[in-house]
C-alpha cells in the first residue's frame, strides 16, 4: 500500500512510518524537515503545509492511506481538498471533548465548537482546533473512509515532554540524600497513558484493515498510586516517599500536569480528571493492543538515561526544587 504521512520526522509520525515500512508498505513523508529525519526506507518530500499549494507535489498521486497529525485546521482543510486517498487517518485528541470532568466517557460525548480560523494561535484553542480538523476530514471523506483517532496522553520512549519519564527517572535518581521522593497525595487520581509504539502499530493496522469511524486511542486507566508504585518498581527505588496535599503544593508554586516546576500527571482540579479515564473499548474491539504499564515506564526510563542528564526537560521539578520542598516538609513535620 502507498502510505502518505503528513509529517514523519517527529515522534509519533516517525514511529508510524517505521512501523508501516516494517509491514512492507511504501511510505512517503511530507514535512518541512525541521524536526528530524524520516524513517529509514521512507521517501521524503520537503514541503510547507502553510502554503496554499503546499501539498502540490503529492496531490496527483493515488494513496492507499494518508496519516495526518496536524493541529492546524487550515493545513487539514487544504489536505483533504487536494489529496486523493482511499482512507484518511487523522490523529485528533481527547482535548476535543467539551467536558473533561466525567469519568468513563466514550466517543459519543459532546465536542468543543470547531475553531473557525485556519490557524490555532495559542494552546488554549488546541481542543477546538482538533475538533475543526476532524470536521474537515469527515466532511470530505465521510465516516467510512475516515479514521478519527482521539489520542490520550501519548507516552513511552522519546517522550520529550517528560511526563512519562519523570517518575521512573526521579525514583532512579532521588533529589535527597536518603532517597526520599516527593509525591502528591492523590492515590486515586486516574492516569491514562498510551504507549507511542502501541498507537503507531494500531494506526497502521487501521490503514490495512480499512477502519472507519471515531475511536478513543487511550491506554488503560490506573490510579495514580498504582502508577507511582510501578514507576518505583522499574527504577528499583526502596527509599521513603513523602506525600504532600494539593493546597500545600500549590501555595509553593508547584504546577499540575506538566511544565516547569510541576509534578507530572498530577491533577488537583476534578473538572479535568476525566481526561485520563475515557473509555477505550471501541478501539480495543477494533484491534488496539496495549502493553503493560511497567514495560512502557521501564523502556522510557532506559531512553531517559540514554538521553543523558544534559537533556532539557519541560516537565517536573528540578533536583534543587524538590530538595528544597522536601526540606520544608520535613521541618514542618518534625
Amino acid at each position: 500500500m502507498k502510505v502518505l504521512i503528513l509529517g514523519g520526522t517527529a515522534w509519533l509520525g516517525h514511529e508510524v512510518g517505521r512501523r508501516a515500512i516494517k509491514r512492507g508498505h511504501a511510505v512517503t513523508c511530507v514535512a518541512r524537515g525541521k524536526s528530524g529525519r524520516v524513517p529509514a526506507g521512507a521517501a521524503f518530500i520537503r514541503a510547507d503545509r502553510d502554503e496554499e499549494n503546499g501539498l502540490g507535489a503529492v496531490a496527483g498521486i493515488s494513496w492507499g492511506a494518508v496519516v495526518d497529525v496536524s493541529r492546524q485546521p487550515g493545513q487539514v482543510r487544504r489536505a483533504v481538498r487536494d489529496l486523493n486517498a482511499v482512507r484518511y487517518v487523522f490523529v485528533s485528541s481527547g482535548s476535543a471533548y467539551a467536558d473533561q470532568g466525567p469519568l468513563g466517557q466514550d466517543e459519543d460525548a459532546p465536542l468543543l465548537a470547531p475553531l473557525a480560523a485556519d490557524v490555532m494561535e495559542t494552546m488554549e484553542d488546541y481542543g477546538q482546533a482538533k475538533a475543526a480538523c476532524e470536521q474537515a476530514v469527515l466532511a470530505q471523506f465521510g465516516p467510512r473512509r475516515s479514521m478519527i483517532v482521539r489520542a490520550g496522553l501519548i507516552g513511552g520512549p522519546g517522550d520529550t515532554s517528560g511526563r512519562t519519564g519523570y517518575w521512573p527517572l526521579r525514583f532512579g535518581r532521588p533529589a535527597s540524600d536518603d532517597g526520599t521522593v516527593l509525591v502528591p497525595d492523590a492515590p486515586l487520581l486516574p492516569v491514562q497513558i498510551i504507549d507511542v509504539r502501541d498507537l503507531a502499530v494500531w494506526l497502521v493496522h487501521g490503514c490495512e484493515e480499512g477502519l472507519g469511524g471515531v475511536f478513543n486511542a487511550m491506554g488503560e486507566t490506573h490510579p495514580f498510586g498504582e502508577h507511582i508504585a510501578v514507576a518505583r518498581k522499574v527504577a528499583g527505588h526502596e527509599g521513603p516517599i513523602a506525600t504532600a496535599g494539593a493546597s500545600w503544593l500549590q501555595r509553593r508554586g508547584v504546577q499540575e500536569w506538566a511544565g516547569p516546576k510541576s509534578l507530572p500527571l498530577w491533577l488537583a482540579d476534578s473538572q479535568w480528571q476525566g481526561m485520563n479515564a475515557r473509555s477505550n473499548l471501541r478501539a480495543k474491539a477494533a484491534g488496539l493492543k496495549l502493553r503493560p504499564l511497567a514495560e512502557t515506564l521501564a523502556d522510557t526510563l532506559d531512553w531517559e538515561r540514554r538521553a543523558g542528564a544534559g537533556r532539557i526537560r519541560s516537565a517536573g521539578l528540578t533536583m534543587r526544587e524538590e530538595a528544597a520542598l522536601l526540606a520544608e516538609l520535613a521541618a514542618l513535620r518534625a
Side-chain angles (χ1 to χ4, degrees), residues 5-26:
I5 299 178
L6 300 179
T9 59
W11 188 33
L12 175 59
H14 188 278
E15 186 68 15
V16 172
R18 191 176 73 83
R19 298 286 175 166
I21 291 167
K22 189 175 181 180
R23 292 283 297 169
H25 300 296

Side-chain angles (χ1 to χ4, degrees), residues 158-170 173 258-262 264 300-319 321:
D159 179 10
T160 57
S161 79
R163 287 175 295 189
T164 48
Y166 176 82
W167 290 109
L169 187 66
R170 181 48 48 91
R173 191 179 63 195
K261 200 176 182 180
S262 68
T300 306
L301 176 59
D302 288 343
W303 174 80
E304 286 276 9
R305 285 171 168 165
R306 291 196 305 272
R311 187 176 75 78
I312 298 174
R313 294 172 176 84
S314 57
L317 298 174
T318 65
M319 301 283 276
E321 287 169 344

Side-chain angles (χ1 to χ4, degrees), residues 171-249:
F171 281 119
R173 191 179 63 195
S176 64
D177 293 337
D178 66 353
T180 300
V181 173
L182 177 64
V183 174
D185 187 11
L188 301 181
L189 171 73
V191 178
Q192 191 173 37
I193 294 172
I194 183 166
D195 193 295
V196 65
R197 297 165 293 182
D198 297 338
L199 177 56
V201 166
W202 185 62
L203 290 173
V204 175
H205 171 78
C207 295
E208 294 173 341
E209 296 299 316
L211 296 181
V214 180
F215 302 90
N216 285 336
M218 318 255 174
E220 303 292 10
T221 296
H222 299 276
F224 186 70
E226 180 181 329
H227 185 98
I228 290 298
V230 173
R232 288 187 75 197
K233 185 175 181 179
V234 302
H237 180 261
E238 296 180 352
I241 285 181
T243 59
S247 60
W248 189 90
L249 292 168

